[in-house]
Amino acid sequence: MVIEIVSLDRKHGFMIPELKVRSDVKPGAERRRFTPDKTGTFNFHCDLFCGSGHEGMAGTLVVVE
Ligand SMILES: [Cu+2]
């Protein structure tokens, strides 16, 4: 399984602490990919202050087989 992350506006950070995943996400065509090494439900959040709304930039990733 591969997830693709793209920023549409400015530089953000993407972090999933439990999977030890951390990446800058810059605007434009740059993309980051990673393959989770386990299944489960994992919280992610933006870890670079990116302006208004930063505190709400979080979510849940569900990895299944
Ligand atoms: Cu942010």
Side-chain angles (χ1 to χ4, degrees):
M1 174 185 170
V2 176
I3 187 170
E4 186 173 272
I5 309 160
V6 180
S7 172
L8 300 178
D9 53 6
R10 66 192 66 176
K11 186 176 176 181
H12 296 275
F14 182 79
M15 185 171 199
I16 309 175
E18 197 173 344
L19 292 177
K20 295 180 174 50
V21 169
R22 203 267 148 210
S23 179
D24 287 344
V25 182
K26 297 175 184 173
E30 186 175 354
R31 289 169 165 77
R32 299 283 188 225
R33 295 167 186 257
F34 70 94
T35 302
D37 61 359
K38 57 186 172 183
T39 60
T41 300
F42 307 100
N43 294 322
F44 64 84
H45 64 275
C46 176
D47 69 344
L48 291 178
F49 182 74
C50 55
S52 177
H54 166 73
E55 292 78 9
M57 298 192 78
T60 302
L61 176 71
V62 178
V63 180
V64 296
E65 286 189 36

